[in-house]
Each structure stands twice: as structure tokens, then as C-alpha cells.
Amino acid sequence: MTARIGVVTFPGSLDDRDTQRAIRVAGAEPVALWHKDKDLKQVDAVVLCGGFSYGDYLRAGAIARFSPVMEPLLEQAKAGLPVLGICNGFQILTEAHLLPGTMLRNDHLHFICRDQKLRVENAETSWTTDYTAGQEIHIPLKNNDGQYVADAYTLDKLEAEGRVAFRYLDFNPNGSQRDIAGVTNEAGNVVGLMPHPEHAVEPLIGTGRTDGLPFFTSILKKLVNA
Amino acid sequence: MARVVVDVMLKPEILDPQGQAVQRALPRLGFDGISDVRQGKRFELEVDGPVDEAALARIHDLAESFLANTVIEDFTIRVEEVAEAVK
């Protein structure tokens, strides 16, 4: 039996189908989860995908953080369930305090959509073992509130513990502090990033490369070998 | 019924790009002499029943956990008198 990876759909989620597809391309079984679900249907991992959950009317991710599905997710993530937050999913994970820091409006105030070069800084998280540390990848980025900020103490701590998982290369698209594109929690099971690996798993779409696929093969390998 | 106002502002050390965009537009509109603008949010909560200490404590929890993101924002809470209809 293959790994079952849940993808949560909130009202306003946009990338749930792409994420399910990426999971299928990697060889795992996607399981649709609904924001009102009170259990996680015994999935082996969860992806919180991109979009504008509940319209993001208060702050990006702030309302989604209190939806029913987040209760079991918070509890199980703290116990080791692998969780990946992409873009809005990353914002939700910071609002839920599963990941440190938070996201502000892009410093230039514009929505941005581009192919973004990144460096994989940590290839030991649940979602990055099929990369090598220092590897440079191109995956799409699209967001309005992508400026990663945290206080200096938190940033120093993240750097010292190797918890900056991804960094923007060549161009900082949103003013993120220390060019941070993604971070991980202490245990390495919860990862969040602003760019979108699920849009770069097939050569015909996105960047024309498949640089995002290792996210989904990493977790599959971890779960199958577990 | 009473009204409680929660004002949420970005912490002083957090850059406010929206406020800066507003500030930069001011000279074009003929408003000189304004050296800084910061933009925040104001929430007006209509509260059923008395605004006693217990109610204020609950609103404080609400502001801290939901209305403000205390990583980047500060908030203040105040009770506003709602004018009763004069007989």
C-alpha cells in the first residue's frame, strides 16, 4: 500500500488540485481533506496548499488557522506528522505557530509571479531528502504577502540550527529578511515555503523543469521506508 | 450594549510598505510636511451585556490570538461609550 497524503481545501484554496496531481505524479495517493473535517482520515502526511483561504481578509492564513481541520493537524504535527505548507499554507503554519516568523505584504506592494531560483539549504527535512544541501533549483513563485519577517533573535536561532530550509538566489522577490524562502520546525517534519513546487513536477508546465518533484518523492520515500 | 474598540498597529520596528506608499503620494496631492505614515486596523466590537473585567479579559484573548499577530503587531483595547437615545 502506498502512502496517503492529505491535501486540505479551505474556501479560497487555489492549488489543491495541482497539489493532488503532484502527489499522484510522485507515486503517492492524494486524499482530499475539507476545512470542516474534524479528523485527518488517517493520512500519513498533509499538504496545506496555496490560495487565499477565507479570502485572507484579516491577515493571510489568520482565519484558516482556526478552522476545524487544524485541530487534529496541530496536535499530530506536534507529534511528528509531516506537514508541508506552500505559500498560503506557509502563512497558515506561521499563524498557527507551527513555524516561527510571519509574512508581510511584499515590500514593493505588487503581486508577483515569476520563475524563482532557490538554494536548498536543508536537505534533511521530511520533504527535502531527495535534494542535496546547496542544490540550486527553479520553481514558480506567485504571491502578494510573501515578505518573511521575524525578530533578530529568531532569525539568528533559525540560522544557527540550520532551519532556514530555502533561500532566494539572485533576486529577492518580496523583501524577505535574509533572503529566506522557507523554514522548517525543529524536528524537520513541518516545512513551509513561499514558492510552489507543485507547479513544477511535469516538464510541460511551469518552469519546464521538474525541480519541485523531489518534495513529493522525498516524503513518499520517507513514509514507505518508515 | 457597549462598543469595544481594538486598534491594531504594526510594531514600530516593522517596515510598513503600505504606509510608505501613502506617505509618498502626499506631496503629489499637495499635502506637505507629513514625514511618516503608518497604516493600521481598527476593529469595533459590539458587545452584548456589560463590559466588565471578565468581558475585557475575553476580548484581550481574542485580540492577542486572532485580531493581531503579535509577532509583528501591537494592539490597544478601549471601551467606547455608545450614546443612548435621548428621551
Side-chain angles (χ1 to χ4, degrees):
Chain A
M1 216 178 79
T2 186
R4 300 171 76 242
I5 303 177
V7 178
V8 179
T9 300
F10 298 95
S13 291
L14 294 174
D15 299 325
D16 41 350
R17 292 305 181 105
D18 287 46
T19 306
Q20 290 175 21
R21 184 176 175 84
I23 289 166
R24 206 173 295 121
V25 168
E29 181 193 343
V31 177
L33 296 173
W34 182 237
H35 67 119
K36 285 186 176 168
D37 284 347
K38 292 197 170 92
D39 74 284
L40 299 179
K41 300 185 182 171
Q42 293 176 314
V43 293
D44 304 300
V46 173
V47 182
L48 299 179
C49 65
F52 296 87
S53 53
Y54 301 91
D56 280 348
Y57 292 126
L58 176 59
R59 291 180 308 277
I63 301 176
R65 175 251 177 281
F66 289 100
S67 60
V69 76
M70 289 301 288
E71 274 182 45
L73 187 139
L74 285 169
E75 193 180 304
Q76 292 179 41
K78 283 172 191 161
L81 180 79
V83 178
L84 174 66
I86 302 168
C87 198
N88 194 231
F90 185 17
Q91 293 158 341
I92 295 168
L93 291 176
T94 61
E95 283 286 340
H97 305 299
L98 276 179
L99 292 173
T102 191
M103 244 66 69
L104 286 177
R105 287 282 292 275
N106 296 341
D107 59 348
H108 45 72
L109 292 175
H110 297 289
F111 186 91
I112 189 166
C113 180
R114 69 191 305 270
D115 288 342
Q116 177 68 46
K117 195 172 173 188
L118 301 176
R119 185 169 55 232
V120 181
E121 302 281 19
N122 183 334
E124 289 167 21
T125 77
S126 299
W127 301 89
T128 57
T129 49
D130 273 355
Y131 293 108
T132 51
Q135 187 175 345
E136 296 179 3
I137 61 174
H138 283 85
I139 60 176
L141 171 116
K142 54 181 174 100
N143 64 62
N144 198 45
D145 301 81
Q147 183 184 173
Y148 184 80
V149 298
D151 59 50
Y153 171 80
T154 303
L155 292 170
D156 288 344
K157 191 166 184 278
L158 288 175
E159 303 266 14
E161 294 174 359
R163 289 170 53 194
V164 175
F166 305 92
R167 232 184 279 268
Y168 298 116
L169 278 188
D170 299 342
F171 176 72
N172 184 330
N174 42 37
S176 287
Q177 291 179 344
R178 304 193 191 181
D179 300 330
I180 291 173
V183 298
T184 179
N185 68 342
E186 220 170 333
N189 63 308
V190 181
V191 172
L193 79 166
M194 287 314 294
H196 288 261
E198 81 282 13
H199 295 327
V201 297
E202 290 165 300
L204 273 176
I205 55 164
T207 55
R209 302 156 60 125
T210 57
D211 291 6
L213 191 58
F215 275 85
F216 305 98
T217 55
S218 296
I219 189 64
L220 180 60
K221 214 173 279 176
K222 178 188 162 63
L223 294 171
V224 170
N225 293 338
Chain B
M1 204 172 68
R3 173 179 296 160
V4 177
V5 177
V6 180
D7 283 309
V8 176
M9 289 297 293
L10 282 173
K11 290 181 177 177
E13 68 270 23
I14 302 285
L15 195 73
D16 176 9
Q18 286 166 285
Q20 285 186 340
V22 173
Q23 195 259 329
R24 279 197 301 270
L26 294 178
R28 280 206 303 278
L29 302 172
F31 293 100
D32 295 319
I34 295 173
S35 57
D36 193 26
V37 176
R38 293 181 71 77
Q39 179 176 327
K41 295 187 192 114
R42 170 184 164 120
F43 299 86
E44 296 184 352
L45 313 179
E46 306 295 336
V47 181
D48 299 330
V51 182
D52 50 17
E53 254 176 54
L56 280 174
R58 284 179 55 229
I59 290 169
H60 187 275
D61 285 348
L62 165 70
E64 192 169 42
S65 60
F66 187 48
L67 300 181
N69 177 343
T70 54
V71 175
I72 48 167
E73 293 168 334
D74 293 325
F75 63 89
T76 58
I77 297 172
R78 66 176 191 277
V79 183
E80 198 170 78
E81 297 301 325
V82 180
E84 298 288 337
V86 180
K87 285 181 185 164

